[in-house]
Amino acid sequence: MVFTIQIMNDYYKTLGVSRNASKEEIKKAYRKLAHKYHPDKKGGDEKKIREINEAYQVLTNDQKRAEYDRYGRVFSGTGATGGDAGFDFNFDSQFKGGFDFTDIFEDFFGGFQTNGRKTKRGRDISIDIEISFKESVFGVERRVVLTKPGFCETCRGKGAEPETALKNCSICQGSGTIRETKRSFFGTFTSLKECSRCQGKGKIPEKPCAVCNGYGILKKKEEVAVKIPAGIQNGEMIKLSGKGEAVSQGIGGDLYIKIHVQPHPVFSKEGNNILMNLDIPITEAILGGERQINILDGAIKIRIPQGIDSGEILRIRGKGIPLEHGGRGDLLIEIRVRIPKKLSKNAKNLVEELKKEGL
């Protein structure tokens, strides 16, 4: 007997990549979509961000991706159903090696369980941070204060008054789940549901914490250190796992930080290099010389070669963006030769002499 089930979520379609896409292609697509649907932007979509994040977490994990490609969903750790095509579940051939057909349907109708308990996860948070161009080149650490659900410091997230015990939930008898029977066109299926009394914990406090009312979490201010790496680009996102909203007896959501880099009047970036323009008079272009210029980390002397043309690039090695494994990129200086708009009589005569020399 064969049943065909159409699974709705298609992680590859969500990220807009092919099924044989590399991790780099997946990461690139994720960054692009996260930037496009950022909740703080016009046209942003928080639901879409969650879908994109879920797809990214699965497709960049080798084990989860292999499970997803084979079965259309993820069985290891947390993960939602997915897939883009119908799958044939055959009692005789496909589930002899360790899968139970009733477990699959329990997952569809009752939510995925790990060791009998759902793994809860808090909501993600997104914020924006503005930094200077210099900070984007050399990196910086910023501290931000967030007001969000966090673990109660009085009961340390347990929900019980200090030095008091927890007891088994009288509804689920400590299992954290209750069985629920549903009828469908496939027949009657029994699934495990989270106990509403203990919220899946299996335990309830004998004396609830007076500060958080037994929930184990409460809204509070928390300072978070954000390390912004050297060379970050405008619009890039930084993800801090577990720094989002806390959830009782679960794991915290993630914190997403969008970086806004203030433009610099002189410098710009290209890869690991810093770019700038340098105006010089025509006499310096002809004769060459030395000059001192101010860069982001101090003043340096550079030599202007004799006979340099406008548009030529001077490369100053090791004065660019710091690299992850040591060293730095380069400083690229584009020369712009200034042509005077007006000449004095004496200057004009000198230019005429140069003209006679064929210059």
Side-chain angles (χ1 to χ4, degrees):
M1 185 177 185
V2 177
F3 291 105
T4 300
I5 299 177
Q6 184 72 26
I7 305 175
M8 301 305 293
N9 292 342
D10 183 348
Y11 291 149
Y12 293 100
K13 187 175 180 181
T14 297
L15 295 180
V17 297
S18 63
R19 299 190 73 85
N20 60 354
S22 66
K23 279 189 179 181
E24 287 303 315
E25 290 173 325
I26 291 170
K27 289 178 181 178
K28 185 177 180 181
Y30 169 74
R31 292 192 192 101
K32 182 178 179 181
L33 291 171
H35 176 70
K36 178 179 179 182
Y37 292 106
H38 190 279
D40 292 340
K41 292 186 62 176
K42 184 178 180 181
D45 189 329
E46 185 175 346
K47 181 181 178 182
K48 191 73 175 177
I49 282 288
R50 289 181 181 276
E51 293 174 356
I52 293 166
N53 185 56
E54 181 180 298
Y56 175 77
Q57 295 297 329
V58 171
L59 297 186
T60 52
N61 181 294
D62 293 337
Q63 181 182 353
K64 291 181 180 180
R65 184 175 181 180
E67 291 176 358
Y68 174 74
D69 287 343
R70 186 173 181 182
Y71 304 111
R73 64 155 296 110
V74 175
F75 297 94
S76 59
T78 56
T81 56
D84 64 336
F87 287 83
D88 289 332
F89 293 120
N90 189 298
F91 286 94
D92 298 324
S93 62
Q94 287 184 280
F95 293 97
K96 288 181 179 179
F99 284 103
D100 186 341
F101 185 79
T102 58
D103 289 341
I104 300 297
F105 273 86
E106 185 175 293
D107 198 17
F108 289 142
F109 294 107
F112 182 61
Q113 308 280 329
T114 304
N115 296 327
R117 301 279 177 89
K118 284 185 179 180
T119 301
K120 293 184 179 181
R121 184 178 182 277
R123 292 197 307 172
D124 296 337
I125 299 174
S126 62
I127 63 172
D128 295 70
I129 291 181
E130 186 174 72
I131 61 175
S132 68
F133 182 86
K134 183 176 180 179
E135 289 172 331
S136 77
V137 169
F138 297 109
V140 68
E141 181 176 303
R142 288 287 183 85
R143 292 186 172 272
V144 296
V145 177
L146 303 174
T147 301
K148 63 185 181 72
F151 291 112
C152 174
E153 294 178 359
T154 302
C155 66
R156 297 183 179 180
K158 294 181 179 180
E161 279 288 320
E163 301 181 2
T164 63
L166 298 175
K167 62 181 181 180
N168 282 342
C169 174
S170 59
I171 302 298
C172 65
Q173 304 301 316
S175 68
T177 57
I178 56 175
R179 292 191 174 272
E180 182 177 83
T181 301
K182 288 185 177 181
R183 301 180 66 86
S184 72
F185 60 91
F186 289 113
T188 301
F189 297 95
T190 300
S191 62
L192 291 177
K193 289 291 185 181
E194 179 184 277
C195 175
S196 59
R197 172 80 184 279
C198 64
Q199 297 182 329
K201 303 173 193 175
K203 301 281 186 179
I204 57 175
E206 289 184 350
K207 186 177 181 182
C209 173
V211 176
C212 64
N213 294 319
Y215 289 104
I217 57 172
L218 71 167
K219 204 167 206 179
K220 62 178 185 177
K221 291 184 178 180
E222 181 180 338
E223 186 178 70
V224 178
V226 181
K227 291 184 178 180
I228 301 173
I232 195 165
Q233 299 292 332
N234 183 56
E236 280 196 63
M237 301 280 284
I238 295 174
K239 173 186 171 184
L240 297 182
S241 299
K243 293 297 183 181
E245 293 187 359
V247 61
S248 182
Q249 299 295 313
I251 59 175
D254 298 330
L255 173 61
Y256 291 89
I257 305 106
K258 185 176 181 180
I259 302 300
H260 300 272
V261 180
Q262 296 173 340
H264 196 280
V266 176
F267 303 102
S268 60
K269 287 185 290 188
E270 185 179 87
N272 295 319
N273 299 323
I274 298 176
L275 283 62
M276 65 171 290
N277 299 322
L278 180 62
D279 293 340
I280 63 173
I282 191 171
T283 51
E284 194 171 359
I286 294 171
L287 300 174
E290 283 190 352
R291 69 162 55 199
Q292 181 172 289
I293 61 172
N294 293 316
I295 59 175
L296 292 172
D297 51 346
I300 60 171
K301 282 187 177 181
I302 62 171
R303 188 178 66 85
I304 307 296
Q306 181 179 331
I308 195 169
D309 290 326
S310 188
E312 284 195 51
I313 304 292
L314 298 180
R315 182 184 293 270
I316 312 299
R317 298 195 179 278
K319 292 297 181 181
I321 296 171
L323 305 178
E324 184 177 356
H325 301 294
R328 292 175 61 175
D330 300 331
L331 171 65
L332 305 180
I333 305 173
E334 181 177 343
I335 298 298
R336 293 183 175 180
V337 179
R338 293 197 309 267
I339 305 298
K341 304 299 182 184
K342 292 183 179 181
L343 294 174
S344 65
K345 185 176 180 181
N346 185 45
K348 190 172 183 179
N349 290 335
L350 292 173
V351 173
E352 290 291 344
E353 291 296 324
L354 290 174
K355 185 177 179 181
K356 291 176 182 179
E357 295 288 333
L359 299 177

Short mmCIF file of all heavy atoms in Angstrom, two decimals, residues 231-282:
data_model
loop_
_atom_site.label_atom_id
_atom_site.label_comp_id
_atom_site.label_asym_id
_atom_site.label_seq_id
_atom_site.Cartn_x
_atom_site.Cartn_y
_atom_site.Cartn_z
N GLY A 231 36.47 45.30 7.74
CA GLY A 231 36.11 45.14 6.33
C GLY A 231 34.65 44.91 6.05
O GLY A 231 34.27 44.61 4.92
N ILE A 232 33.80 45.06 7.06
CA ILE A 232 32.37 44.82 6.83
C ILE A 232 31.81 45.85 5.86
O ILE A 232 32.23 47.00 5.84
CB ILE A 232 31.60 44.85 8.18
CG1 ILE A 232 30.21 44.24 8.01
CG2 ILE A 232 31.51 46.27 8.74
CD1 ILE A 232 29.53 43.88 9.31
N GLN A 233 30.86 45.42 5.05
CA GLN A 233 30.28 46.27 4.03
C GLN A 233 28.95 46.86 4.51
O GLN A 233 28.27 46.29 5.37
CB GLN A 233 30.05 45.48 2.73
CG GLN A 233 31.31 44.91 2.11
CD GLN A 233 32.23 45.98 1.56
OE1 GLN A 233 31.79 47.05 1.16
NE2 GLN A 233 33.54 45.69 1.56
N ASN A 234 28.59 47.97 3.92
CA ASN A 234 27.30 48.59 4.23
C ASN A 234 26.16 47.63 3.87
O ASN A 234 26.13 47.06 2.78
CB ASN A 234 27.15 49.89 3.43
CG ASN A 234 25.86 50.61 3.75
OD1 ASN A 234 25.58 50.92 4.90
ND2 ASN A 234 25.07 50.90 2.74
N GLY A 235 25.24 47.44 4.80
CA GLY A 235 24.09 46.57 4.55
C GLY A 235 24.28 45.13 4.97
O GLY A 235 23.33 44.35 4.94
N GLU A 236 25.49 44.75 5.38
CA GLU A 236 25.72 43.37 5.81
C GLU A 236 25.02 43.11 7.14
O GLU A 236 24.79 44.01 7.93
CB GLU A 236 27.21 43.07 5.93
CG GLU A 236 27.88 42.76 4.60
CD GLU A 236 29.23 42.09 4.79
OE1 GLU A 236 29.29 40.97 5.33
OE2 GLU A 236 30.24 42.72 4.40
N MET A 237 24.73 41.81 7.37
CA MET A 237 24.05 41.40 8.60
C MET A 237 25.00 40.58 9.46
O MET A 237 25.78 39.77 8.95
CB MET A 237 22.82 40.56 8.27
CG MET A 237 21.78 41.25 7.41
SD MET A 237 20.71 42.35 8.35
CE MET A 237 19.65 41.16 9.16
N ILE A 238 24.92 40.78 10.77
CA ILE A 238 25.64 39.97 11.74
C ILE A 238 24.61 39.20 12.55
O ILE A 238 23.61 39.75 12.99
CB ILE A 238 26.50 40.85 12.68
CG1 ILE A 238 27.59 41.56 11.88
CG2 ILE A 238 27.12 40.01 13.79
CD1 ILE A 238 28.38 42.56 12.71
N LYS A 239 24.86 37.90 12.74
CA LYS A 239 23.93 37.06 13.49
C LYS A 239 24.58 36.62 14.80
O LYS A 239 25.68 36.07 14.81
CB LYS A 239 23.56 35.83 12.67
CG LYS A 239 22.72 34.80 13.42
CD LYS A 239 22.55 33.56 12.56
CE LYS A 239 21.91 32.43 13.35
NZ LYS A 239 21.82 31.18 12.56
N LEU A 240 23.90 36.87 15.92
CA LEU A 240 24.33 36.40 17.23
C LEU A 240 23.33 35.35 17.70
O LEU A 240 22.20 35.67 18.07
CB LEU A 240 24.41 37.56 18.23
CG LEU A 240 25.44 38.66 17.93
CD1 LEU A 240 25.44 39.70 19.04
CD2 LEU A 240 26.83 38.09 17.74
N SER A 241 23.75 34.10 17.66
CA SER A 241 22.86 33.00 18.03
C SER A 241 22.52 33.06 19.51
O SER A 241 23.40 33.28 20.35
CB SER A 241 23.52 31.66 17.69
OG SER A 241 23.77 31.56 16.31
N GLY A 242 21.24 32.84 19.81
CA GLY A 242 20.79 32.77 21.19
C GLY A 242 20.62 34.09 21.89
O GLY A 242 20.25 34.14 23.06
N LYS A 243 20.88 35.21 21.18
CA LYS A 243 20.77 36.53 21.80
C LYS A 243 19.44 37.21 21.51
O LYS A 243 19.27 38.39 21.79
CB LYS A 243 21.91 37.42 21.33
CG LYS A 243 23.29 36.98 21.80
CD LYS A 243 23.39 37.04 23.31
CE LYS A 243 24.79 36.68 23.80
NZ LYS A 243 24.89 36.73 25.27
N GLY A 244 18.49 36.44 20.95
CA GLY A 244 17.15 36.98 20.73
C GLY A 244 16.31 36.83 21.98
O GLY A 244 16.82 36.84 23.10
N GLU A 245 15.02 36.65 21.81
CA GLU A 245 14.13 36.53 22.96
C GLU A 245 14.28 35.16 23.62
O GLU A 245 14.41 34.14 22.94
CB GLU A 245 12.67 36.74 22.53
CG GLU A 245 12.38 38.16 22.06
CD GLU A 245 10.90 38.38 21.81
OE1 GLU A 245 10.11 37.42 21.99
OE2 GLU A 245 10.53 39.51 21.45
N ALA A 246 14.29 35.16 24.95
CA ALA A 246 14.37 33.91 25.70
C ALA A 246 13.00 33.26 25.76
O ALA A 246 11.97 33.92 25.62
CB ALA A 246 14.90 34.18 27.10
N VAL A 247 13.00 31.95 25.95
CA VAL A 247 11.76 31.21 26.11
C VAL A 247 11.98 30.19 27.22
O VAL A 247 13.05 29.59 27.33
CB VAL A 247 11.34 30.52 24.79
CG1 VAL A 247 12.37 29.51 24.33
CG2 VAL A 247 9.98 29.86 24.91
N SER A 248 10.99 30.00 28.05
CA SER A 248 11.12 29.11 29.20
C SER A 248 11.40 27.68 28.75
O SER A 248 10.72 27.15 27.87
CB SER A 248 9.83 29.16 30.04
OG SER A 248 9.94 28.34 31.17
N GLN A 249 12.40 27.06 29.37
CA GLN A 249 12.78 25.67 29.08
C GLN A 249 13.08 25.46 27.61
O GLN A 249 12.74 24.43 27.04
CB GLN A 249 11.67 24.71 29.54
CG GLN A 249 11.36 24.75 31.01
CD GLN A 249 12.54 24.30 31.87
OE1 GLN A 249 13.15 23.28 31.59
NE2 GLN A 249 12.85 25.07 32.90
N GLY A 250 13.73 26.42 26.98
CA GLY A 250 14.07 26.29 25.56
C GLY A 250 15.34 27.06 25.25
O GLY A 250 16.11 27.40 26.13
N ILE A 251 15.55 27.30 23.98
CA ILE A 251 16.73 28.05 23.55
C ILE A 251 16.30 29.43 23.06
O ILE A 251 15.18 29.62 22.57
CB ILE A 251 17.49 27.31 22.43
CG1 ILE A 251 16.58 27.08 21.20
CG2 ILE A 251 18.04 25.99 22.93
CD1 ILE A 251 17.31 26.47 20.02
N GLY A 252 17.18 30.39 23.22
CA GLY A 252 16.87 31.75 22.79
C GLY A 252 16.85 31.88 21.28
O GLY A 252 17.50 31.11 20.56
N GLY A 253 16.10 32.85 20.79
CA GLY A 253 16.14 33.17 19.37
C GLY A 253 17.47 33.82 19.01
O GLY A 253 18.38 33.92 19.82
N ASP A 254 17.58 34.27 17.78
CA ASP A 254 18.81 34.89 17.31
C ASP A 254 18.65 36.40 17.20
O ASP A 254 17.53 36.91 17.04
CB ASP A 254 19.21 34.32 15.94
CG ASP A 254 19.48 32.82 16.00
OD1 ASP A 254 19.92 32.36 17.08
OD2 ASP A 254 19.26 32.14 15.00
N LEU A 255 19.77 37.09 17.29
CA LEU A 255 19.79 38.55 17.13
C LEU A 255 20.47 38.86 15.80
O LEU A 255 21.60 38.43 15.55
CB LEU A 255 20.57 39.20 18.28
CG LEU A 255 20.83 40.71 18.17
CD1 LEU A 255 19.52 41.49 18.13
CD2 LEU A 255 21.70 41.19 19.32
N TYR A 256 19.77 39.58 14.94
CA TYR A 256 20.31 39.99 13.64
C TYR A 256 20.61 41.49 13.68
O TYR A 256 19.74 42.29 14.02
CB TYR A 256 19.32 39.69 12.51
CG TYR A 256 19.13 38.21 12.25
CD1 TYR A 256 18.17 37.47 12.94
CD2 TYR A 256 19.92 37.55 11.31
CE1 TYR A 256 18.02 36.11 12.71
CE2 TYR A 256 19.77 36.20 11.07
CZ TYR A 256 18.82 35.48 11.77
OH TYR A 256 18.67 34.13 11.54
N ILE A 257 21.84 41.85 13.34
CA ILE A 257 22.25 43.25 13.35
C ILE A 257 22.59 43.68 11.92
O ILE A 257 23.50 43.11 11.30
CB ILE A 257 23.47 43.49 14.26
CG1 ILE A 257 23.19 42.97 15.68
CG2 ILE A 257 23.84 44.95 14.29
CD1 ILE A 257 23.89 41.69 16.02
N LYS A 258 21.87 44.66 11.42
CA LYS A 258 22.17 45.20 10.09
C LYS A 258 23.11 46.39 10.26
O LYS A 258 22.84 47.30 11.05
CB LYS A 258 20.90 45.63 9.37
CG LYS A 258 21.15 46.10 7.95
CD LYS A 258 19.86 46.44 7.24
CE LYS A 258 20.13 46.88 5.80
NZ LYS A 258 18.88 47.22 5.09
N ILE A 259 24.21 46.39 9.51
CA ILE A 259 25.24 47.41 9.65
C ILE A 259 25.07 48.48 8.57
O ILE A 259 24.94 48.18 7.38
CB ILE A 259 26.65 46.79 9.54
CG1 ILE A 259 26.85 45.71 10.61
CG2 ILE A 259 27.72 47.87 9.66
CD1 ILE A 259 26.72 46.21 12.02
N HIS A 260 25.06 49.73 9.03
CA HIS A 260 25.00 50.88 8.12
C HIS A 260 26.33 51.64 8.25
O HIS A 260 26.67 52.11 9.33
CB HIS A 260 23.83 51.80 8.47
CG HIS A 260 22.49 51.14 8.39
ND1 HIS A 260 21.75 51.09 7.23
CD2 HIS A 260 21.78 50.47 9.33
CE1 HIS A 260 20.63 50.43 7.46
NE2 HIS A 260 20.62 50.04 8.72
N VAL A 261 27.07 51.73 7.15
CA VAL A 261 28.39 52.39 7.15
C VAL A 261 28.25 53.80 6.60
O VAL A 261 27.74 54.00 5.48
CB VAL A 261 29.41 51.60 6.31
CG1 VAL A 261 30.77 52.31 6.34
CG2 VAL A 261 29.54 50.18 6.82
N GLN A 262 28.67 54.78 7.39
CA GLN A 262 28.63 56.16 6.93
C GLN A 262 29.65 56.36 5.81
O GLN A 262 30.79 55.89 5.91
CB GLN A 262 28.95 57.11 8.08
CG GLN A 262 27.95 57.09 9.22
CD GLN A 262 28.41 57.92 10.41
OE1 GLN A 262 29.59 58.20 10.57
NE2 GLN A 262 27.47 58.30 11.26
N PRO A 263 29.28 57.03 4.72
CA PRO A 263 30.24 57.27 3.64
C PRO A 263 31.35 58.21 4.08
O PRO A 263 31.15 59.05 4.97
CB PRO A 263 29.38 57.88 2.53
CG PRO A 263 28.19 58.46 3.23
CD PRO A 263 27.94 57.59 4.43
N HIS A 264 32.54 58.08 3.47
CA HIS A 264 33.69 58.93 3.78
C HIS A 264 33.90 59.90 2.63
O HIS A 264 33.76 59.52 1.46
CB HIS A 264 34.94 58.07 4.01
CG HIS A 264 36.05 58.80 4.70
ND1 HIS A 264 36.89 59.67 4.03
CD2 HIS A 264 36.46 58.80 6.00
CE1 HIS A 264 37.77 60.17 4.89
NE2 HIS A 264 37.54 59.66 6.08
N PRO A 265 34.26 61.16 2.91
CA PRO A 265 34.45 62.13 1.82
C PRO A 265 35.67 61.85 0.94
O PRO A 265 35.74 62.35 -0.18
CB PRO A 265 34.60 63.47 2.56
CG PRO A 265 35.06 63.09 3.94
CD PRO A 265 34.41 61.78 4.24
N VAL A 266 36.60 61.04 1.45
CA VAL A 266 37.85 60.81 0.69
C VAL A 266 38.01 59.35 0.28
O VAL A 266 38.38 59.06 -0.86
CB VAL A 266 39.08 61.24 1.53
CG1 VAL A 266 40.39 60.90 0.81
CG2 VAL A 266 39.01 62.73 1.84
N PHE A 267 37.70 58.42 1.17
CA PHE A 267 38.02 57.02 0.94
C PHE A 267 36.79 56.19 0.60
O PHE A 267 35.67 56.52 0.98
CB PHE A 267 38.69 56.43 2.19
CG PHE A 267 39.94 57.16 2.62
CD1 PHE A 267 39.90 58.03 3.70
CD2 PHE A 267 41.13 56.98 1.95
CE1 PHE A 267 41.04 58.71 4.10
CE2 PHE A 267 42.28 57.65 2.34
CZ PHE A 267 42.24 58.52 3.42
N SER A 268 37.05 55.09 -0.11
CA SER A 268 36.03 54.08 -0.39
C SER A 268 36.71 52.72 -0.35
O SER A 268 37.94 52.63 -0.27
CB SER A 268 35.35 54.32 -1.74
OG SER A 268 36.31 54.27 -2.80
N LYS A 269 35.91 51.65 -0.41
CA LYS A 269 36.46 50.30 -0.33
C LYS A 269 36.18 49.51 -1.60
O LYS A 269 35.15 49.68 -2.24
CB LYS A 269 35.86 49.56 0.87
CG LYS A 269 36.36 50.03 2.21
CD LYS A 269 35.81 49.18 3.34
CE LYS A 269 34.34 49.39 3.56
NZ LYS A 269 33.83 48.72 4.77
N GLU A 270 37.12 48.64 -1.93
CA GLU A 270 36.95 47.69 -3.03
C GLU A 270 37.64 46.40 -2.63
O GLU A 270 38.87 46.31 -2.68
CB GLU A 270 37.53 48.24 -4.33
CG GLU A 270 37.27 47.34 -5.54
CD GLU A 270 37.83 47.91 -6.82
OE1 GLU A 270 39.02 47.65 -7.11
OE2 GLU A 270 37.10 48.64 -7.51
N GLY A 271 36.86 45.41 -2.21
CA GLY A 271 37.46 44.19 -1.70
C GLY A 271 38.24 44.49 -0.43
O GLY A 271 37.74 45.10 0.51
N ASN A 272 39.51 44.09 -0.41
CA ASN A 272 40.38 44.34 0.75
C ASN A 272 41.20 45.62 0.58
O ASN A 272 42.09 45.89 1.40
CB ASN A 272 41.32 43.15 0.97
CG ASN A 272 40.58 41.90 1.37
OD1 ASN A 272 39.64 41.95 2.15
ND2 ASN A 272 40.99 40.76 0.82
N ASN A 273 40.93 46.37 -0.46
CA ASN A 273 41.70 47.58 -0.73
C ASN A 273 40.89 48.84 -0.40
O ASN A 273 39.66 48.84 -0.45
CB ASN A 273 42.11 47.63 -2.21
CG ASN A 273 43.00 46.45 -2.59
OD1 ASN A 273 43.84 46.02 -1.79
ND2 ASN A 273 42.82 45.93 -3.78
N ILE A 274 41.63 49.89 -0.06
CA ILE A 274 41.03 51.21 0.17
C ILE A 274 41.40 52.09 -1.01
O ILE A 274 42.56 52.11 -1.45
CB ILE A 274 41.53 51.83 1.49
CG1 ILE A 274 41.11 50.95 2.68
CG2 ILE A 274 40.99 53.24 1.68
CD1 ILE A 274 41.65 51.41 4.01
N LEU A 275 40.42 52.84 -1.52
CA LEU A 275 40.64 53.69 -2.69
C LEU A 275 40.53 55.15 -2.30
O LEU A 275 39.73 55.52 -1.44
CB LEU A 275 39.61 53.37 -3.78
CG LEU A 275 39.80 52.11 -4.63
CD1 LEU A 275 39.75 50.84 -3.79
CD2 LEU A 275 38.73 52.04 -5.73
N MET A 276 41.34 55.99 -2.99
CA MET A 276 41.23 57.43 -2.82
C MET A 276 41.74 58.11 -4.09
O MET A 276 42.45 57.50 -4.91
CB MET A 276 42.04 57.92 -1.62
CG MET A 276 43.54 57.75 -1.75
SD MET A 276 44.49 58.58 -0.43
CE MET A 276 44.24 60.31 -0.86
N ASN A 277 41.34 59.36 -4.28
CA ASN A 277 41.84 60.18 -5.39
C ASN A 277 42.79 61.23 -4.85
O ASN A 277 42.64 61.72 -3.72
CB ASN A 277 40.67 60.86 -6.11
CG ASN A 277 39.70 59.87 -6.72
OD1 ASN A 277 40.09 58.83 -7.24
ND2 ASN A 277 38.40 60.17 -6.64
N LEU A 278 43.80 61.59 -5.66
CA LEU A 278 44.77 62.61 -5.26
C LEU A 278 44.98 63.58 -6.41
O LEU A 278 45.41 63.18 -7.50
CB LEU A 278 46.11 61.96 -4.87
CG LEU A 278 47.21 62.92 -4.43
CD1 LEU A 278 46.79 63.69 -3.18
CD2 LEU A 278 48.52 62.18 -4.21
N ASP A 279 44.62 64.84 -6.17
CA ASP A 279 44.82 65.86 -7.19
C ASP A 279 46.23 66.43 -7.06
O ASP A 279 46.68 66.77 -5.96
CB ASP A 279 43.80 66.99 -7.01
CG ASP A 279 42.38 66.53 -7.29
OD1 ASP A 279 42.23 65.50 -7.98
OD2 ASP A 279 41.43 67.17 -6.81
N ILE A 280 46.94 66.54 -8.21
CA ILE A 280 48.27 67.15 -8.23
C ILE A 280 48.34 68.16 -9.38
O ILE A 280 47.65 68.01 -10.39
CB ILE A 280 49.38 66.09 -8.40
CG1 ILE A 280 49.26 65.36 -9.74
CG2 ILE A 280 49.36 65.09 -7.24
CD1 ILE A 280 50.42 64.44 -10.05
N PRO A 281 49.18 69.19 -9.23
CA PRO A 281 49.31 70.16 -10.33
C PRO A 281 50.10 69.55 -11.49
O PRO A 281 50.82 68.57 -11.31
CB PRO A 281 50.08 71.32 -9.67
CG PRO A 281 50.83 70.68 -8.56
CD PRO A 281 49.98 69.57 -8.06
N ILE A 282 49.97 70.15 -12.66
CA ILE A 282 50.62 69.62 -13.85
C ILE A 282 52.14 69.61 -13.72
O ILE A 282 52.82 68.73 -14.24
CB ILE A 282 50.16 70.42 -15.10
CG1 ILE A 282 50.63 69.71 -16.37
CG2 ILE A 282 50.64 71.87 -15.03
CD1 ILE A 282 50.04 70.29 -17.64
#
